[in-house]
Amino acid sequence: MEKVWLKSYLNGVPHEIDTSKYSSLADVLNQSFNRYGGRPAFHNMGTTITFAELKEKSLKFASYLQNQLGLKEGARVALMMPNILQYPIALYGILQAKMIAVNVNPLYTARELQHQLVDAGAETIVVFANAAKLVEEVRSAAGLKHVIVTQLGDQLSFPKNYVVNFVIKNIKKMVPDYNISDAISFNDTLRDGDQSKFNKPSIAAQDIAFLQYTGGTTGVSKGAVLTHGNMVSNLMQASGWIDSLIKAGEGIVITALPLYHIFSLLANCLLFSSRGGLNVLITNPRDMPGFVKELSKWKFTAMTGVNTLFNGLLHTPGFSDLDFSHLRLTLGGGMAVQKTVAEKWKEVTGGVLLEAYGLTETSPAACMNPVNLQDYNGTVGLPLPSTEVAILSEDNKELSIGEVGEIAIRGPQVMQGYWQRPEETAKVMTADGYFKTGDIGVMDPNGFVKLVDRKKDMILVSGFNVFPNEIEDVVATHPGVLEVAAIGVPCEKSGEVVKLFVVKKDENLTEVELKAFCKKELTGYKVPKHYEFRSELPKTNVGKILRRELRPD
């Protein structure tokens, strides 16, 4: 294949990366700890920790896992937290101990949480107190042996730590009562973890770093197996791309997307840490006025987000009055960036909103627009260094420039497969190592990739994957439902929302009742926003429901 995109690379961007430069993410982190020790690494709610403090705390946590809990190399440890300082401490401890991080959405329902924990074989979880009741509910069925609980303010400076924890629990009533008699306090793990007893393991590129859950192509959530080599490669690819814009040892990145999401995990948590930058963690970005107030305190150089986040900021009073003179990089991913939002962003901030493209299965970055882009161009950019993008026909033949087909990606960042699901892996990997994304696109003569449509039935709500099969399986359990189909419909605020089509079994079934059922069984962004009752649903001659005939023209 001719790599036509290379001619569009900026001077200084490497065509290939040296994947042997680092042996593991632990190697990357240790170099950052030693090189940037005195620099601030993470900030949250008024408290900053340096790289040296992050090293000490993460090794104490790693030692606790090894010595107090007796966890072995390869143990799966689940992380169920919003953007708080405890997250990078725990994550970096897990990675350095050669254990496997399993990121969990804190908004999961009991059903979703249990499935992921069981599928991953995670016997240990670190959870913030607000979700501890949920863990209590599924613990037995999920086989959890160790539950480490942290309150939101645990790592904040005194006296704010006590104030935040008191307000969250007693004033705002955000912590449901739970009873986990052997729960371990996160702060106790740092108190009792002996850094001198940490047993530093030998970690190789092929060792698993993450089981990052995604819907894949169909059905229930599956764990993408991402190795240290996959993640290090993507770090190097992204680092080489932005190096001319933000030098190592510099940079303040606003981290509003949740760190459990693959985009924020790589682009913020790992990338900026590897380069000595400061992550400003936004715990509740939905509080837009509070978010803008926090932004006013920083001379931030970078921000990542999804279209809905940028759109929300642009419509929040006070945002346009901020100082954007230091902002060099605004990166949009997770869902399509809308032209109107990109144009408004440039008008207000003076900077271009760069669109990138990737998937959980590609660690995630595969394509990105050049950092010198002057205006929104409607593409997701060029393949990153050491990445090949092919446009394939239905029979997996490579198509020519300008022809529309399925986007396929090959490179060192592509996952090893789906955790313990070889059949699902085989569906998405070609014989010559390309990952078939399920997205339909086209490449122009200069190598820029444009998304055209999605082959998958996946619905993208504010950057999060929602899979119709899961929604339909849940709704079908309602005794009043005979048949059900779920599709995505356009939404100005979130890109898409779920619309449900139902054939009633019980004529007394109402929209109110069905919505309440969905809210109980599904995470918020998966809950259908539109409901339509029909006497029958369109089907093939073998009885398969035709979702495409339900979609608006």
Side-chain angles (χ1 to χ4, degrees), residues 58-78:
S58 63
L59 287 178
K60 284 182 176 181
F61 185 76
S63 177
Y64 188 92
L65 296 180
Q66 290 178 334
N67 300 302
Q68 267 68 29
L69 298 188
L71 301 187
K72 306 299 182 184
E73 295 176 4
R76 274 80 72 197
V77 181

Side-chain angles (χ1 to χ4, degrees), residues 61-62 64-66 68-72 74-81 90 94 99-104 113 116-118 120-127 135 138-139 142-149 182-184 186 189 211:
F61 185 76
Y64 188 92
L65 296 180
Q66 290 178 334
Q68 267 68 29
L69 298 188
L71 301 187
K72 306 299 182 184
R76 274 80 72 197
V77 181
L79 296 173
M80 191 174 185
M81 290 175 279
I94 292 165
M99 297 173 191
I100 300 170
V102 182
N103 281 306
V104 177
L113 175 60
Q116 186 168 325
L117 294 176
V118 170
E123 296 183 344
T124 304
I125 190 169
V126 185
V127 60
V135 171
V138 306
R139 181 180 184 180
L144 280 173
K145 292 181 179 178
H146 311 292
V147 180
I148 301 171
V149 179
D182 60 344
I184 303 161
F186 182 84
T189 69
L211 292 184

Side-chain angles (χ1 to χ4, degrees), residues 194-468:
D194 189 341
Q195 186 177 343
S196 67
K197 293 183 179 179
F198 171 65
N199 180 26
K200 184 178 180 179
S202 175
I203 309 175
Q206 65 267 25
D207 291 319
I208 301 172
F210 293 92
L211 292 184
Q212 193 72 17
Y213 275 74
T214 178
T217 53
T218 58
V220 298
S221 180
K222 296 177 282 292
V225 176
L226 303 178
T227 64
H228 282 264
N230 290 146
M231 299 299 287
V232 169
S233 295
N234 212 218
L235 278 179
M236 295 179 66
Q237 291 165 324
S239 190
W241 201 261
I242 70 168
D243 196 49
S244 64
L245 208 61
I246 301 175
K247 299 298 182 184
E250 301 176 2
I252 299 173
V253 62
I254 302 300
T255 303
L257 291 184
L259 292 172
Y260 59 79
H261 191 288
I262 188 66
F263 180 20
S264 187
L265 173 65
L266 186 287
N268 295 55
C269 187
L270 295 172
L271 177 60
F272 274 83
S273 283
S274 73
R275 297 173 58 84
L278 168 63
N279 271 270
V280 177
L281 301 181
I282 308 298
T283 305
N284 181 21
R286 293 184 180 181
D287 174 13
M288 284 288 173
F291 188 0
V292 170
K293 183 178 179 181
E294 183 67 24
L295 288 175
S296 70
K297 302 173 183 177
W298 299 95
K299 296 178 180 179
F300 54 94
T301 51
M303 181 186 294
T304 61
V306 294
N307 188 80
T308 47
L309 180 78
F310 300 128
N311 194 37
L313 286 171
L314 289 168
H315 288 87
T316 300
F319 179 73
S320 60
D321 299 325
L322 295 176
D323 177 9
F324 299 105
S325 61
H326 295 83
L327 181 60
R328 301 175 209 160
L329 174 66
T330 307
L331 186 61
M335 64 185 293
V337 172
Q338 295 172 338
K339 182 179 181 181
T340 53
V341 173
E343 290 175 344
K344 183 67 174 177
W345 186 266
K346 183 178 181 182
E347 177 188 330
V348 171
T349 71
V352 175
L353 205 175
L354 296 179
E355 189 167 3
Y357 171 69
L359 306 96
T360 301
E361 292 90 341
T362 58
S363 301
C367 297
M368 185 174 170
N369 270 291
V371 296
N372 70 339
L373 193 71
Q374 296 301 303
D375 291 292
Y376 173 83
N377 63 7
T379 80
V380 294
L382 306 165
L384 292 175
S386 294
T387 303
E388 295 171 273
V389 170
I391 308 298
L392 302 181
S393 65
E394 288 286 349
D395 56 356
N396 290 341
K397 297 292 191 299
E398 187 175 341
L399 298 173
S400 301
I401 294 295
E403 290 190 280
V404 174
E406 183 173 4
I407 299 171
I409 299 165
R410 182 167 66 183
Q413 74 271 49
V414 173
M415 68 168 184
Q416 306 308 295
Y418 294 118
W419 177 249
Q420 298 179 338
R421 295 178 187 269
E423 299 86 1
E424 293 295 326
T425 303
K427 292 178 184 177
V428 298
M429 299 300 299
T430 67
D432 52 353
Y434 278 92
F435 167 68
K436 297 166 63 179
T437 67
D439 291 320
I440 302 301
V442 62
M443 182 180 289
D444 72 16
N446 294 314
F448 286 83
V449 177
K450 182 179 177 61
L451 297 183
V452 176
D453 202 346
R454 285 199 301 277
K455 182 178 179 180
K456 306 173 186 177
D457 281 329
M458 181 185 77
I459 305 163
L460 202 60
V461 180
S462 294
F464 289 95
N465 294 349
V466 178
F467 293 87

Side-chain angles (χ1 to χ4, degrees), residues 489-501:
V489 295
C491 173
E492 185 173 340
K493 182 178 178 183
S494 60
E496 284 185 305
V497 292
V498 179
K499 180 174 182 178
L500 208 62
F501 293 85

Side-chain angles (χ1 to χ4, degrees), residues 497-511:
V497 292
V498 179
K499 180 174 182 178
L500 208 62
F501 293 85
V502 171
V503 177
K504 296 181 183 180
K505 182 186 297 183
D506 178 358
E507 285 302 317
N508 294 316
L509 177 65
T510 65
E511 179 177 329

